[in-house]
Amino acid sequence: MYVIRLKNCAFFARHGVHDAEEMLGQRFYVDAALTVDPQKPLDEDDIGATVDYGEAFQVIEAIVTGKRRFLIEALARDVARQLCARFPQIKRAEITVRKPNAPVPGVLDHVEVTLVWPQ
């Protein structure tokens, strides 16, 4: 097995509990660490043996820019589940979602959640 990592994928979306978060939107950043068990020997050097990371990015993008979620935890779970469903060779998906403009009464870089699927 090996790990494919997509780091700091950036998307504009409208997730959050507050109405202003939906109205204004903001950037969200996603990291995906995908533990892969190849379906064919890698000696064949065939994209079908692994996870096409371009297609994985598109799965992440469709979810993050799709329907609004109140919780970034739910967003991370949906990304992990969809990636595992789309690519059966993913045995473990660790998804981190960062929200830099979280409505927190203080100064911070971002709020982030990491979720592992399957649990």
mmCIF file of all heavy atoms in Angstrom, residues 14-16 20 25 41 52-53 81 86 93 110 117-119:
data_model
loop_
_atom_site.group_PDB
_atom_site.id
_atom_site.type_symbol
_atom_site.label_atom_id
_atom_site.label_comp_id
_atom_site.label_asym_id
_atom_site.label_seq_id
_atom_site.Cartn_x
_atom_site.Cartn_y
_atom_site.Cartn_z
ATOM 1 N N ARG A 14 -19.862 28.111 0.408
ATOM 2 C CA ARG A 14 -20.751 28.847 1.309
ATOM 3 C C ARG A 14 -21.191 28.012 2.509
ATOM 4 O O ARG A 14 -22.354 27.999 2.885
ATOM 5 C CB ARG A 14 -21.965 29.343 0.526
ATOM 6 C CG ARG A 14 -21.569 30.252 -0.615
ATOM 7 C CD ARG A 14 -22.733 30.690 -1.467
ATOM 8 N NE ARG A 14 -22.292 31.455 -2.612
ATOM 9 C CZ ARG A 14 -21.973 32.745 -2.583
ATOM 10 N NH1 ARG A 14 -22.055 33.431 -1.458
ATOM 11 N NH2 ARG A 14 -21.579 33.350 -3.679
ATOM 12 N N HIS A 15 -20.263 27.291 3.129
ATOM 13 C CA HIS A 15 -20.587 26.443 4.267
ATOM 14 C C HIS A 15 -20.537 27.236 5.565
ATOM 15 O O HIS A 15 -19.779 28.192 5.696
ATOM 16 C CB HIS A 15 -19.607 25.275 4.348
ATOM 17 C CG HIS A 15 -19.528 24.492 3.086
ATOM 18 N ND1 HIS A 15 -20.578 23.714 2.633
ATOM 19 C CD2 HIS A 15 -18.545 24.394 2.151
ATOM 20 C CE1 HIS A 15 -20.233 23.157 1.482
ATOM 21 N NE2 HIS A 15 -19.005 23.561 1.169
ATOM 22 N N GLY A 16 -21.330 26.803 6.529
ATOM 23 C CA GLY A 16 -21.320 27.417 7.852
ATOM 24 C C GLY A 16 -22.720 27.543 8.409
ATOM 25 O O GLY A 16 -23.709 27.435 7.687
ATOM 26 N N ALA A 20 -24.712 34.817 7.180
ATOM 27 C CA ALA A 20 -23.691 35.623 6.495
ATOM 28 C C ALA A 20 -22.665 34.732 5.796
ATOM 29 O O ALA A 20 -22.140 35.101 4.740
ATOM 30 C CB ALA A 20 -22.992 36.548 7.484
ATOM 31 N N GLY A 25 -19.939 33.727 1.474
ATOM 32 C CA GLY A 25 -19.033 32.667 1.065
ATOM 33 C C GLY A 25 -17.608 32.945 1.515
ATOM 34 O O GLY A 25 -17.302 34.012 2.049
ATOM 35 N N PRO A 41 -0.782 -4.946 -10.385
ATOM 36 C CA PRO A 41 0.616 -4.642 -10.037
ATOM 37 C C PRO A 41 1.049 -3.311 -10.635
ATOM 38 O O PRO A 41 0.734 -2.988 -11.783
ATOM 39 C CB PRO A 41 1.399 -5.796 -10.669
ATOM 40 C CG PRO A 41 0.391 -6.867 -10.909
ATOM 41 C CD PRO A 41 -0.928 -6.184 -11.095
ATOM 42 N N ASP A 52 -6.653 8.018 -9.851
ATOM 43 C CA ASP A 52 -6.364 9.159 -10.713
ATOM 44 C C ASP A 52 -6.567 10.422 -9.869
ATOM 45 O O ASP A 52 -7.695 10.787 -9.540
ATOM 46 C CB ASP A 52 -7.321 9.132 -11.907
ATOM 47 C CG ASP A 52 -7.135 10.283 -12.868
ATOM 48 O OD1 ASP A 52 -6.659 11.371 -12.450
ATOM 49 O OD2 ASP A 52 -7.491 10.114 -14.043
ATOM 50 N N TYR A 53 -5.474 11.077 -9.501
ATOM 51 C CA TYR A 53 -5.610 12.201 -8.579
ATOM 52 C C TYR A 53 -6.275 13.411 -9.212
ATOM 53 O O TYR A 53 -6.847 14.238 -8.505
ATOM 54 C CB TYR A 53 -4.297 12.573 -7.890
ATOM 55 C CG TYR A 53 -3.069 12.662 -8.766
ATOM 56 C CD1 TYR A 53 -2.818 13.766 -9.565
ATOM 57 C CD2 TYR A 53 -2.140 11.621 -8.761
ATOM 58 C CE1 TYR A 53 -1.690 13.835 -10.342
ATOM 59 C CE2 TYR A 53 -0.999 11.693 -9.537
ATOM 60 C CZ TYR A 53 -0.782 12.814 -10.330
ATOM 61 O OH TYR A 53 0.347 12.887 -11.097
ATOM 62 N N ARG A 81 -16.211 9.752 2.147
ATOM 63 C CA ARG A 81 -17.118 8.690 1.696
ATOM 64 C C ARG A 81 -17.196 8.615 0.174
ATOM 65 O O ARG A 81 -17.178 7.529 -0.409
ATOM 66 C CB ARG A 81 -18.510 8.897 2.296
ATOM 67 C CG ARG A 81 -18.548 8.603 3.787
ATOM 68 C CD ARG A 81 -19.800 9.081 4.440
ATOM 69 N NE ARG A 81 -20.944 8.226 4.122
ATOM 70 C CZ ARG A 81 -22.148 8.416 4.603
ATOM 71 N NH1 ARG A 81 -22.384 9.434 5.410
ATOM 72 N NH2 ARG A 81 -23.118 7.603 4.304
ATOM 73 N N ARG A 86 -15.974 6.061 -4.966
ATOM 74 C CA ARG A 86 -15.543 6.187 -6.365
ATOM 75 C C ARG A 86 -14.326 5.321 -6.688
ATOM 76 O O ARG A 86 -14.194 4.799 -7.774
ATOM 77 C CB ARG A 86 -15.235 7.665 -6.660
ATOM 78 C CG ARG A 86 -14.549 7.947 -7.977
ATOM 79 C CD ARG A 86 -15.400 7.508 -9.163
ATOM 80 N NE ARG A 86 -14.651 7.554 -10.389
ATOM 81 C CZ ARG A 86 -13.918 6.540 -10.891
ATOM 82 N NH1 ARG A 86 -13.827 5.396 -10.251
ATOM 83 N NH2 ARG A 86 -13.281 6.680 -12.026
ATOM 84 N N ALA A 93 -9.194 6.975 3.862
ATOM 85 C CA ALA A 93 -9.134 8.369 3.427
ATOM 86 C C ALA A 93 -9.086 9.257 4.661
ATOM 87 O O ALA A 93 -9.962 9.184 5.516
ATOM 88 C CB ALA A 93 -10.347 8.717 2.570
ATOM 89 N N HIS A 110 -6.786 29.630 11.171
ATOM 90 C CA HIS A 110 -7.905 28.899 10.608
ATOM 91 C C HIS A 110 -8.418 27.893 11.635
ATOM 92 O O HIS A 110 -7.738 27.602 12.614
ATOM 93 C CB HIS A 110 -7.518 28.160 9.316
ATOM 94 C CG HIS A 110 -6.401 27.184 9.491
ATOM 95 N ND1 HIS A 110 -5.093 27.510 9.247
ATOM 96 C CD2 HIS A 110 -6.383 25.894 9.901
ATOM 97 C CE1 HIS A 110 -4.319 26.456 9.489
ATOM 98 N NE2 HIS A 110 -5.089 25.467 9.884
ATOM 99 N N TRP A 117 -11.880 7.941 7.184
ATOM 100 C CA TRP A 117 -12.936 7.034 6.713
ATOM 101 C C TRP A 117 -12.307 5.840 6.046
ATOM 102 O O TRP A 117 -11.367 6.017 5.288
ATOM 103 C CB TRP A 117 -13.847 7.773 5.734
ATOM 104 C CG TRP A 117 -15.053 6.976 5.368
ATOM 105 C CD1 TRP A 117 -15.199 6.146 4.290
ATOM 106 C CD2 TRP A 117 -16.277 6.891 6.079
ATOM 107 N NE1 TRP A 117 -16.436 5.581 4.295
ATOM 108 C CE2 TRP A 117 -17.121 6.018 5.395
ATOM 109 C CE3 TRP A 117 -16.736 7.499 7.256
ATOM 110 C CZ2 TRP A 117 -18.401 5.733 5.828
ATOM 111 C CZ3 TRP A 117 -18.002 7.200 7.675
ATOM 112 C CH2 TRP A 117 -18.819 6.321 6.963
ATOM 113 N N PRO A 118 -12.738 4.632 6.213
ATOM 114 C CA PRO A 118 -13.796 4.252 7.150
ATOM 115 C C PRO A 118 -13.310 4.394 8.593
ATOM 116 O O PRO A 118 -12.117 4.335 8.854
ATOM 117 C CB PRO A 118 -14.100 2.805 6.805
ATOM 118 C CG PRO A 118 -12.904 2.292 6.106
ATOM 119 C CD PRO A 118 -12.223 3.470 5.479
ATOM 120 N N GLN A 119 -14.270 4.569 9.470
ATOM 121 C CA GLN A 119 -13.932 4.802 10.880
ATOM 122 C C GLN A 119 -13.657 3.505 11.593
ATOM 123 O O GLN A 119 -14.153 2.494 11.314
ATOM 124 C CB GLN A 119 -15.054 5.567 11.556
ATOM 125 C CG GLN A 119 -15.221 6.917 10.906
ATOM 126 C CD GLN A 119 -16.415 7.692 11.424
ATOM 127 O OE1 GLN A 119 -17.413 7.128 11.808
ATOM 128 N NE2 GLN A 119 -16.314 9.003 11.394
#
